[in-house]
Amino acid sequence: MGILSYMQDNGHEQVVAFSEESAGLRGFIAIHNTTLGPGLGGVRIWPHKSEEDALTDVLRLSRAMTYKSAAADLPFGGGKAIIMADPVKDKSEPMVRAYARFLDSLGGRYITTTDVGSTIRDLEYIRLETRHVVGLPISEGGSGDTAIMTGLGVFMGMKACAKHLWGSDSLAGRTVAFQGFGKVAYHTASHLREEGARMMVTDINEAALDKAREMEATIVPGESIYDQECDIFAPCALGGVINSDTIPRLRCSIVAGGANNQLLTDDDGLALQERGILYAPDYIINAGGVINASCEVGAQYNEDRAREKTLRIYDTVERVLDIARRDGVSTSQAADRLAEERINSISKLRRIFRG
Ligand code: NAD
């Protein structure tokens, strides 16, 4: 299928291809939908095998950002960028600054931040060329590390699910099994620990396991995390881990974690429901990072404001659960409906002439 037909079928507005040979820069910016505001999303620096792979990825990721921001009640649309390069071997100051000059030419239709392969250091270079960048260090007036609010949001999502299932949102005495104990899981776990929850952890990195031990978590080996008897299974490492192989193994009541794209296919949301497991849609509960970064746009970043907005993830999960009940659909389908309903209702306001 051609690029224009793909864009039309999936509601994309714009795709920009950029190239600057002197800096070894090649890549794409995709803007999916700007009904609610400029496209906001990170720049992924990754050596995709082909242009087609990179283009497919950037289109898919920009669409996901539209849904994440819309459901999080943010005044932003969806955008994403890909620089086709190895972030360790190829990345350089000229490369990211050349990228920034192209994104600046979009006049603010796309606002960039970090993603896989890009760091706060890269954002500092990008800032030299454009003001359409967020996620800068707090010392430079930015919003800093996204994982703090992401971890808080995941915790709030777990609590909203607990309230729905058990009538109380206290997680005291509940057991949470983490797959991956990196930045997001660590911050979620600190809230859980304070609340008196028990934790099980697996990770492939010994330093991450040491942090888990410091939090008195029980360490379990790799794949066995799926088979652990627990209240909440929290995928916090990889996407696609909820699938036809793993769903029959799960012995939890709730799946709620920070990882992006946890469901391998849309049907896996329904399969969880059929097994009586409540799924907290990933992009709803891991929105704390984008909420935090959004607080840097057009205003001085204020941590209290970011925290207050992140705490609302609890209410958003409740709205998703209401839609799922109202429409008889899975929670992942309900999350999409929440986002689409907001975009559609706001798009109608454009017919009002403002004078
Ligand atoms: P991270 O790199 O700090 O942590 C990931 C952890 O998972 C690492 O400790 C890694 O060793 C571990 N891991 C990798 N493969 C594993 C495996 N097969 N089994 C067990 N553990 C494994 O990353 P992070 O920032 O904590 O992000 C975690 C997830 O949350 C990612 O999917 C990310 O896309 C998503 N996410 C992050 C943010 C954020 O603000 N950082 C926001 C939204 C979504």
Side-chain angles (χ1 to χ4, degrees), residues 19-336:
S19 163
E20 171 52 44
E21 207 185 340
S22 71
L25 176 77
R26 288 174 348 131
F28 301 99
I29 294 171
I31 299 174
H32 176 251
N33 184 300
T34 57
T35 303
L36 300 174
L40 173 62
V43 51
R44 181 164 293 193
I45 305 182
W46 201 248
H48 288 81
K49 287 199 188 75
S50 67
E51 286 173 32
E52 286 71 23
D53 284 359
L55 193 51
T56 308
D57 215 16
V58 80
L59 287 164
R60 192 177 54 81
L61 292 165
S62 65
R63 185 171 184 275
M65 287 309 298
T66 296
Y67 279 76
K68 187 183 277 206
S69 281
D73 237 6
L74 298 176
F76 294 99
K80 204 86 183 184
I82 284 186
I83 295 177
M84 292 177 66
D86 186 313
V88 179
K89 289 200 300 233
D90 307 331
K91 196 168 70 177
S92 66
E93 178 186 351
M95 178 185 281
V96 290
R97 287 183 69 166
Y99 157 69
R101 291 178 73 85
F102 284 114
L103 97 83
D104 193 62
S105 73
L106 294 172
R109 277 178 52 73
Y110 167 61
I111 299 171
T112 202
T113 186
T114 48
D115 193 72
V116 176
S118 55
T119 62
I120 286 190
R121 185 75 195 96
D122 300 323
L123 298 188
E124 289 173 340
Y125 287 133
I126 289 171
R127 184 68 186 90
L128 298 175
E129 304 290 349
T130 180
R131 56 192 177 85
H132 305 301
V133 51
V134 291
L136 290 156
I138 295 202
S139 58
E140 290 187 28
S143 53
D145 183 359
T146 54
I148 300 169
M149 291 304 165
T150 306
L152 174 63
V154 170
F155 173 67
M156 295 314 291
M158 289 177 175
K159 284 177 82 64
C161 290
K163 172 85 178 163
H164 180 81
L165 273 194
W166 303 312
S168 159
D169 66 14
S170 169
L171 295 171
R174 300 283 175 192
T175 302
V176 180
F178 283 97
Q179 182 183 48
F181 206 75
K183 297 181 289 290
V184 171
Y186 174 82
H187 289 290
T188 304
S190 12
H191 297 291
L192 286 169
R193 195 174 179 215
E194 215 168 280
E195 186 137 322
R198 285 191 282 263
M199 292 182 274
M200 289 178 193
V201 169
T202 190
D203 199 294
I204 50 170
N205 177 331
E206 203 43 49
L209 291 178
D210 284 343
K211 286 198 156 192
R213 285 188 193 99
E214 280 167 27
M215 291 208 172
E216 291 166 14
T218 308
I219 308 301
V220 300
E223 287 277 305
S224 78
I225 196 77
Y226 297 114
D227 310 312
Q228 303 296 328
E229 177 109 44
C230 59
D231 295 295
I232 303 176
F233 174 57
C236 289
L238 313 165
V241 295
I242 305 295
N243 54 51
S244 54
D245 291 334
T246 59
I247 291 171
R249 293 170 62 179
L250 295 176
R251 297 166 72 200
C252 59
S253 304
I254 296 169
V255 171
N260 280 314
N261 305 321
Q262 290 167 31
L263 304 179
L264 187 62
T265 68
D266 289 344
D267 289 345
D268 295 316
L270 281 171
L272 279 177
Q273 193 177 2
E274 279 159 15
R275 274 221 52 209
I277 298 173
L278 180 60
Y279 173 61
D282 45 19
Y283 72 77
I284 299 288
I285 71 165
N286 74 15
V290 72
I291 292 172
N292 192 57
S294 76
C295 289
E296 193 182 325
V297 182
Q300 177 67 37
Y301 173 71
N302 176 315
E303 193 182 328
D304 291 340
R305 198 163 141 261
R307 187 174 303 278
E308 194 191 305
K309 283 184 155 189
T310 303
L311 292 174
R312 293 185 205 153
I313 285 177
Y314 186 106
D315 308 320
T316 310
V317 171
E318 289 192 319
R319 286 171 66 198
V320 167
L321 298 178
D322 284 345
I323 293 172
R325 197 171 22 216
R326 179 192 78 188
D327 296 355
V329 295
S330 70
T331 53
S332 49
Q333 290 167 321
D336 289 356

